[in-house]
């Protein structure tokens, strides 16, 4: 399939449209990668010029159906079971278990969960800590395709590539040569939803959380957009609730109301007790 030409001007307006609707931010150095993904999708949709494709997406795309298809090709769903599991365990121990110990129900939201290995890891950790009956676990992503995979409970062997010997894997995951299958009750314990992180109204409707996990997603956003999302998440935290980001991510440079704290070697962003 021949690539359509993406001029700097059309790159600028097309990438701005993507950034505005889903947050993904592309620098000039990523123009070629962006061009090849968008061109592929534009040709498949029957377009012969990137400018025509842009006008269609911006002004003629009923219910943003084509835009959603484009977004699916741009999103990166890299994830795996037990990825950075120790920070998850610590966050549960420090911010979820105490509420349950007080006789209350706790709530966790895994935002940008991709194909689901992360919330399923959380579900296993909750079972390991005997908390599962007292915690609501919601997981979301923008990608319907990724969520379909998550809800199916069937994953590629790569999903377990780094942690096949994890003690919890033996209890909750069946490892076959061609697939990793999560136990049905584990999958059913996660409420998977399609949510755009830029959709403040949808996030507000989710209610309040003791712990929000949002890892390896805000790295694709501009600082300004990431700060905006974090501020929305901060409003969705109970007083003293916590936001966990990836180990290589930092929110320190962003203007947000959350305070960075170290808990058992893990950096966690905490809402103030009066939020
Ligand atoms: C690299 S994966 C991270 C998965 C998981 N959190 C982890 O750390 O293993 C990034 C995910 O962010 C999702 N994402 C990107 N932009 C989003 C948006 N605006 N709203 C919701 N999800 C988004 C992508 O679909 C993708 O599944």
């Amino acid at each position: 399939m021949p690539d359509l030409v993406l001029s700097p001007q059309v790159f600028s307006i097309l990438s701005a449209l993507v950034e505005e609707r889903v947050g993904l931010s592309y620098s000039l150095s990523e123009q070629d990668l962006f061009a090849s993904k968008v061109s592929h999708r534009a040709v498949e949709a029957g377009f012969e010029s990137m400018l025509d494709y842009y006008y269609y997406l911006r002004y003629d795309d009923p219910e943003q159906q084509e835009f959603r298809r484009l977004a699916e090709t741009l999103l990166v769903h890299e994830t795996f079971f037990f990825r950075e599991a120790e920070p998850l365990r610590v966050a549960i121990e420090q911010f979820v278990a105490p509420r349950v110990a007080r006789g209350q129900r706790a709530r966790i939201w895994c935002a940008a969960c991709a194909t689901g290995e992360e919330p399923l890891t959380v579900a296993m950790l909750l079972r390991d800590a005997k908390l599962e009956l007292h915690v609501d676990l919601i997981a979301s992503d923008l990608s319907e395709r990724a969520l379909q995979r998550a809800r199916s409970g069937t994953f590629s062997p790569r999903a377990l590539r780094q942690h096949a010997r994890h003690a919890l894997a033996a209890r909750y995951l069946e490892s076959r040569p061609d697939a990793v299958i999560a136990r049905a009750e584990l999958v059913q314990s996660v409420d998977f939803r399609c949510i755009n992180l830029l959709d403040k109204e949808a996030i507000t409707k989710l209610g309040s959380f003791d712990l929000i996990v949002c890892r390896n997603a805000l790295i694709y956003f501009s600082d300004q957009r990431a700060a905006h999302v974090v501020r929305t998440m901060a409003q969705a935290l109970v007083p003293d609730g916590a936001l966990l980001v990836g180990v290589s991510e930092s929110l320190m440079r962003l203007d947000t109301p959350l305070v960075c704290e170290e808990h058992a070697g893990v950096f966690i962003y905490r809402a103030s007790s009066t939020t």
Side-chain angles (χ1 to χ4, degrees):
M1 204 183 288
D3 273 358
L4 300 179
V5 176
L6 182 65
S7 68
Q9 291 81 1
V10 180
F11 168 69
S12 164
I13 53 178
L14 246 174
S15 60
L17 180 69
V18 169
E19 205 277 331
E20 173 193 316
R21 291 191 182 167
V22 295
L24 304 179
S25 168
Y26 292 88
S27 62
L28 270 179
S29 64
E30 293 162 311
Q31 180 171 338
D32 288 350
L33 176 74
F34 181 80
S36 101
K37 288 184 172 181
V38 178
S39 161
H40 191 86
R41 186 54 234 150
V43 170
E44 233 171 45
F47 289 86
E48 290 175 4
S49 108
M50 291 287 229
L51 186 59
D52 288 350
Y53 188 52
Y54 166 76
Y55 279 127
Y56 181 81
L57 291 172
R58 170 70 83 187
Y59 301 110
D60 294 324
D61 183 19
E63 291 160 30
Q64 297 192 8
Q65 279 179 6
E66 176 54 32
F67 183 82
R68 269 199 285 274
R69 281 186 211 112
L70 172 64
E72 287 286 357
T73 71
L74 296 173
L75 296 168
V76 177
H77 302 310
E78 169 66 10
T79 189
F80 46 89
F81 285 109
F82 308 109
R83 182 181 199 179
E84 297 168 17
E86 181 57 12
L88 287 176
R89 193 196 62 73
V90 169
I92 290 168
E93 179 187 87
Q94 307 268 331
F95 293 93
V96 176
R99 178 179 286 277
V100 174
R102 291 196 297 273
Q104 296 167 343
R105 217 171 157 74
R107 300 186 80 229
I108 301 177
W109 172 30
C110 269
C113 70
T115 39
E117 289 88 332
E118 180 178 73
L120 291 170
T121 300
V122 171
M124 288 186 258
L125 292 167
L126 289 174
R127 277 171 159 68
D128 197 41
K130 303 200 172 12
L131 293 169
E132 77 276 16
L133 298 178
H134 311 282
V135 180
D136 295 328
L137 177 53
I138 294 177
S140 67
D141 201 274
L142 178 64
S143 165
E144 279 289 3
R145 206 188 296 164
L147 289 167
Q148 250 174 33
R149 159 76 55 187
R151 292 187 188 109
S152 77
T154 301
F155 305 88
S156 96
R158 290 186 70 241
L160 198 49
R161 63 189 178 283
Q162 295 195 6
H163 301 280
R165 289 171 197 279
H166 198 289
L168 292 175
R171 273 157 56 192
Y172 299 105
L173 304 173
E174 185 193 337
S175 196
R176 298 183 186 166
D178 57 341
V180 172
I181 319 272
R183 278 181 40 184
E185 73 265 24
L186 198 73
V187 180
Q188 282 154 16
S189 72
V190 185
D191 178 359
F192 287 105
R193 314 242 188 124
C194 185
I195 293 177
N196 185 343
L197 290 177
L198 304 192
D199 187 345
K200 191 170 178 181
E201 202 185 318
I203 294 175
T204 307
K205 278 192 193 147
L206 289 177
S208 301
F209 295 91
D210 301 275
L211 174 64
I212 299 176
V213 177
C214 183
R215 305 192 301 176
N216 306 303
L218 297 176
I219 45 170
Y220 299 104
F221 291 17
S222 68
D223 278 2
Q224 197 191 2
R225 193 66 80 174
H228 179 79
V229 174
V230 172
R231 285 196 288 270
T232 307
M233 288 179 170
Q235 287 173 4
L237 285 172
V238 298
D240 276 327
L243 169 64
L244 180 66
V245 296
V247 290
S248 57
E249 297 175 81
S250 169
L251 306 180
M252 299 290 270
R253 68 190 182 288
L254 307 182
D255 174 23
T256 81
L258 301 178
V259 187
C260 183
E261 288 180 352
E262 195 203 317
H263 291 256
V266 174
F267 289 101
I268 282 173
Y269 293 85
R270 199 177 55 76
S272 88
S273 45
T274 52
T275 306

